Amino acid sequence: MIELIANQYSYWISILLMMAGLYIVIDHTNLLKKLIGLNIFQTSVFILFISMGKIDGGTAPIIEEGYKVFSNPLPHVLILTAIVVSVATTAVGLALVVNINKRFQSIDEQEIEEIELEEE
Amino acid sequence: MLAITAIAIIAMRNILSVIMLGGIYSLISATLFVVLDAVDVAFTEAAVGAGISTVLFLSALGITGKHQVLARKNHLVPIFVVLVTGAGLIYSTSDMPAFGDPNAPAHNHVAPRYIEQSGEEIGIPNMVTSVLASYRGFDTLGEVAVVFTALIAVLLLLGLNRGSRQDKS
């Protein structure tokens, strides 16, 4: 049991963070806060990938005399790309939020639903 | 630390403090990436995640000017969904390789070649750079395409509205 915990705890941490992000996305009605939740979700996936690339006793993957064991550079490359893409998608989401606010004078889902019902 | 920050973000009602906590969260995760040997990822996260994202969120907050989050009554369904998903994910990790295991499948495919050969083939000591810019150059080109598309989308969303407003006036 202790061995299981020691082997898998990095995955559990990222799952915990992922669920925190998912909870914010589902439960909170404010659109800005939903986007923050989405960011937390994304960061948890980054942590999952990076923790998979870690090797015991390894160093950062930069060639230097005296170091033989390196962590896996491949997840790092993937996540570098993912971070930049995540900021791009966040920017698009925020632009949508700004437009929604212009249309409804609100960024809260419940308020927007009420306004839409009134308009019908 | 990360978990505490995430929980604080859930509990906070003021959007401004949520955004600042989001920045702190990014910064803490950047230090975590340093611990996990991913220095390139760490400084990208610190610059882009903690810096640019926070600025973007703050400017969106400045435009919308809505600072309070309304409380919602029914929390049970989201909590149930989250718990079930989390339990399923934790159950699925039992098949994953152990943390830090050098014999994990991820380390035995193309990664050894990058680690052993990239210094001679590319001539850059930083393996992440040589994989990103040389072996996986096309992926990076695709990334540039994605960022460009996102830029166009933002400009369309914000710019077209400005045009229609001018039409009205």
Side-chain angles (χ1 to χ4, degrees):
Chain A
M1 187 65 197
I2 293 170
E3 195 185 359
L4 181 77
I5 293 172
N7 285 342
Q8 313 288 353
Y9 71 94
S10 67
Y11 304 119
W12 294 351
I13 291 170
S14 50
I15 287 171
L16 182 75
L17 294 173
M18 193 183 283
M19 289 308 110
L22 187 64
Y23 179 76
I24 295 177
V25 172
I26 297 176
D27 190 45
H28 287 274
T29 52
N30 186 297
L31 294 173
L32 275 180
K33 200 163 175 187
K34 264 185 203 285
L35 278 174
I36 297 251
L38 215 55
N39 268 2
I40 291 176
F41 194 100
Q42 282 173 326
T43 312
S44 77
V45 178
F46 301 162
I47 291 168
L48 178 73
F49 267 69
I50 297 294
S51 67
M52 278 197 256
K54 170 77 178 165
I55 293 179
D56 279 338
T59 61
I62 297 170
I63 296 169
E64 188 70 53
E65 270 180 45
Y67 295 102
K68 287 273 156 56
V69 184
F70 301 108
S71 288
N72 192 343
L74 211 51
H76 301 184
V77 176
L78 283 173
I79 297 310
L80 271 180
T81 309
I83 288 176
V84 176
V85 169
S86 83
V87 171
T89 49
T90 304
V92 176
L94 287 172
L96 282 170
V97 169
V98 167
N99 263 13
I100 289 170
N101 183 56
K102 262 182 202 158
R103 167 77 174 76
F104 293 104
Q105 304 303 319
S106 168
I107 54 168
D108 192 275
E109 262 187 353
Q110 283 177 326
E111 282 181 12
I112 291 170
E113 275 175 18
E114 285 164 16
I115 294 170
E116 276 191 324
L117 282 176
E118 280 171 21
E119 283 176 355
E120 282 171 7
Chain B
M1 283 292 285
L2 275 171
I4 293 169
T5 320
I7 289 163
I9 290 176
I10 293 178
M12 284 284 180
R13 290 259 164 256
N14 189 315
I15 281 290
L16 183 65
S17 38
V18 167
I19 291 171
M20 296 330 280
L21 276 174
I24 291 171
Y25 177 85
S26 282
L27 209 59
I28 296 171
S29 66
T31 58
L32 184 68
F33 290 146
V34 173
V35 174
L36 292 170
D37 295 340
V39 283
D40 303 78
V41 180
F43 67 63
T44 313
E45 175 72 32
V48 172
I52 299 176
S53 291
T54 311
V55 170
L56 284 175
F57 272 110
L58 283 177
S59 50
L61 181 70
I63 295 171
T64 56
K66 305 284 192 298
H67 287 268
Q68 294 301 319
V69 180
L70 294 176
R72 185 174 164 162
K73 281 158 202 160
N74 188 4
H75 295 288
L76 281 176
V77 175
I79 286 176
F80 177 73
V81 170
V82 164
L83 284 182
V84 168
T85 319
L89 284 173
I90 285 181
Y91 172 71
S92 69
T93 57
S94 56
D95 288 338
M96 298 283 280
F99 175 64
D101 181 8
N103 297 317
H107 308 312
N108 292 322
H109 189 51
V110 288
R113 186 195 146 90
Y114 291 148
I115 290 172
E116 284 154 19
Q117 309 273 324
S118 71
E120 294 166 22
E121 286 183 353
I122 312 293
I124 302 171
N126 189 336
M127 291 169 212
V128 176
T129 310
S130 54
V131 175
L132 185 77
S134 181
Y135 294 106
R136 295 279 173 163
F138 272 113
D139 288 4
T140 309
L141 186 67
E143 175 196 344
V144 173
V146 169
V147 173
F148 182 65
T149 317
L151 179 75
I152 292 174
V154 171
L155 286 180
L156 279 176
L157 283 168
L158 296 180
L160 276 185
N161 247 21
R162 207 170 291 152
S164 64
R165 206 192 298 156
Q166 282 167 356
D167 289 343
K168 276 174 199 165
S169 64

